[in-house]
Amino acid sequence: MDAGSTASLGRFSFSAQNEDDRWMAVALALARRGLGRTAPNPAVGAVIVAPGPDGGRVVGRGWTAPGGRPHAETAALIRAGDAARGATLYVTLEPCSHYGRTPPCADAVARAGVARVVVAVADPDPRVNGQGLARLREAGVTVDLLPESAEARRLNAGHVSRVTRGRPRVALKLAVSADGKVAPPGGGPAAIGGERSRARVHLMRAEADAIMIGVGTALADDPALTCRLPGMADRSPIRVLLDASLRAPVESRLVATAGEIPTWIFCAVGADERRERALRESGAEVLRIATGDDGGGVSLPEALKLLALRGVTRLMVEGGPTLASALLDADLVDEATIIGGPGTLGADAIDALAGRPLAALTESPRFAPFLREQVGDDIWTSYERS
């Protein structure tokens, strides 16, 4: 099809560019199925479209399997079989070009006789970094890299952050009352969001590789930090607790269930060894790292670096005001979601951010809003690094 020509799809017509966007949207939707389940690999989606009189038909589709294997392209090629010959592959990330536990996807795509590959985002991983596209072109495959869309960029942001910055993408979540508070006076949990918001928060957990809180939140709220949507109990993320002095009680919900759900506790190098043994015996993994510059807690950059080394690409932070402020101070927040509830908690309640107004985030030039929507009675506003 020549650039600028159109193809009929039922009662609609799409230009060649819009047809590419249409099929890439399908691939992006497939990729989302793997979020939170593929680390350290990225969550990739792929759809193979064979030419036809109505603008094409899907002959194969795939997404990265749990644990990262097989890759999306491989799954789509298996489903397509011989129908892949002469077809177009739409894939959300550049096909890999290196040998790991499996051969390069770029080679498999070329061997299958795919005529054209359309890619949403080039892979900055040094093992790929344009080499996948080059291998396909050398094999005679037409390759098109689409202008990067916001959806594709956000989908791949965790992988890109891990391979380029050596840390996961950090997404902060705050449930805030109408008067800018997160907890009643004296601390403790507060039911700020409604049922629909709580369900969506559980979906956010399911799509994260790990979820982090500080020990203050652990002591005040005793959270489980699991995904409790029906049929999705196995999608609970790794739970990360920042606890410099190992104050978390062994009877807390995090520690008591550490044998069932991976729980990593980051403490200071000099933390009590007896406390460490008790936590390990409960099933938690204890990791000693350097303390922060203020000496009051573990080093946040070191914690994020270690998470990346362990394969975490997407980190959700549900910690309280102290951790949120510390991450903002260190310029380590990439995305923030504010869930605004309609109720109030009162002037003496705990502020959303320790030592500063919420406007320090919502009106900061470092962040730009990209989504605002109503979920039940709550208003969700999402910001990303400018």
Side-chain angles (χ1 to χ4, degrees):
M1 182 183 295
D2 295 331
S5 63
T6 61
S8 173
L9 294 172
R11 58 192 179 89
F12 299 98
S13 292
F14 296 87
S15 70
Q17 180 61 48
N18 286 339
E19 186 176 337
D20 285 347
D21 292 342
R22 171 180 181 256
W23 291 120
M24 188 58 73
V26 174
L28 289 165
L30 292 171
R32 289 196 67 88
R33 298 185 179 191
L35 288 177
R37 311 186 78 187
T38 65
N41 284 14
V44 178
V47 60
I48 301 174
V49 180
D54 293 326
R57 60 188 178 89
V58 174
V59 295
R61 60 185 187 136
W63 55 94
T64 312
R69 300 290 191 284
H71 289 183
E73 300 95 321
T74 300
L77 289 171
I78 290 171
R79 289 186 172 96
D82 291 339
R85 189 164 298 278
T88 297
L89 166 67
Y90 293 87
V91 63
T92 58
L93 187 69
E94 177 182 358
C96 64
S97 57
H98 60 283
Y99 282 86
R101 286 185 286 169
T102 57
C105 286
D107 292 353
V109 171
R111 282 197 308 271
V114 170
R116 178 174 177 243
V117 173
V118 181
V119 177
V121 175
D123 191 347
D125 188 324
R127 298 171 298 175
V128 186
N129 196 23
Q131 297 176 70
L133 304 182
R135 286 176 85 118
L136 288 167
R137 290 187 176 113
E138 289 168 4
V141 179
T142 300
V143 177
D144 290 309
L145 182 62
L146 293 182
E148 189 173 287
S149 69
E151 183 179 359
R153 174 173 50 78
R154 293 187 187 112
L155 178 71
N156 290 291
H159 169 68
V160 171
S161 180
R162 179 173 178 263
V163 299
T164 61
R165 297 188 292 182
R167 67 167 179 84
R169 178 173 175 83
V170 176
L172 178 65
K173 188 276 296 182
L174 291 171
V176 181
S177 65
D179 51 353
K181 310 294 184 176
V182 294
I192 293 174
E195 285 296 327
R196 290 179 61 185
S197 283
R198 283 192 283 275
R200 184 174 290 198
V201 168
H202 284 282
L203 182 59
M204 290 173 67
R205 291 176 180 177
E207 293 184 342
D209 298 333
I211 182 168
M212 174 188 282
I213 64 169
V215 68
T217 297
L219 294 173
D221 298 352
D222 192 23
L225 301 182
T226 54
C227 174
R228 295 188 289 278
L229 293 176
M232 297 182 69
D234 63 338
R235 297 289 298 270
S236 293
I238 297 164
R239 302 174 304 183
V240 179
L241 174 62
L242 303 183
D243 185 4
S245 301
L246 295 180
R247 292 191 289 151
V250 293
E251 63 271 17
S252 66
R253 290 203 284 178
L254 282 179
V255 179
T257 58
E260 304 164 20
I261 302 167
T263 304
W264 301 347
I265 301 178
F266 288 11
C267 70
V269 174
D272 189 285
E273 293 183 1
R274 290 174 298 177
R275 293 287 306 149
E276 177 182 350
R277 282 196 297 271
L279 294 167
R280 287 186 181 277
E281 288 170 1
S282 297
E285 187 170 359
V286 179
L287 302 151
R288 295 176 180 267
I289 62 173
T291 54
D293 292 338
D294 60 0
V298 296
S299 166
L300 292 175
E302 287 298 313
L304 296 183
K305 179 180 178 180
L306 184 53
L307 288 176
L309 289 172
R310 287 177 152 237
V312 173
T313 68
R314 295 165 57 88
L315 177 67
M316 181 179 175
V317 177
E318 283 202 58
T322 300
L323 178 56
S325 287
L327 287 165
L328 288 168
D329 282 343
D331 196 22
L332 293 172
V333 176
D334 301 302
E335 183 178 323
T337 296
I338 309 297
I339 304 169
T344 60
L345 292 176
D348 295 331
I350 297 175
D351 290 331
L353 298 175
R356 73 197 68 195
L358 186 59
L361 189 161
T362 59
E363 298 178 16
S364 168
R366 288 188 292 172
F367 297 97
F370 69 89
L371 179 67
R372 181 179 172 85
E373 59 182 330
Q374 185 158 344
V375 179
D377 293 328
D378 307 322
I379 300 297
W380 282 53
T381 309
S382 295
Y383 302 81
E384 63 183 351
R385 184 185 290 269
S386 300

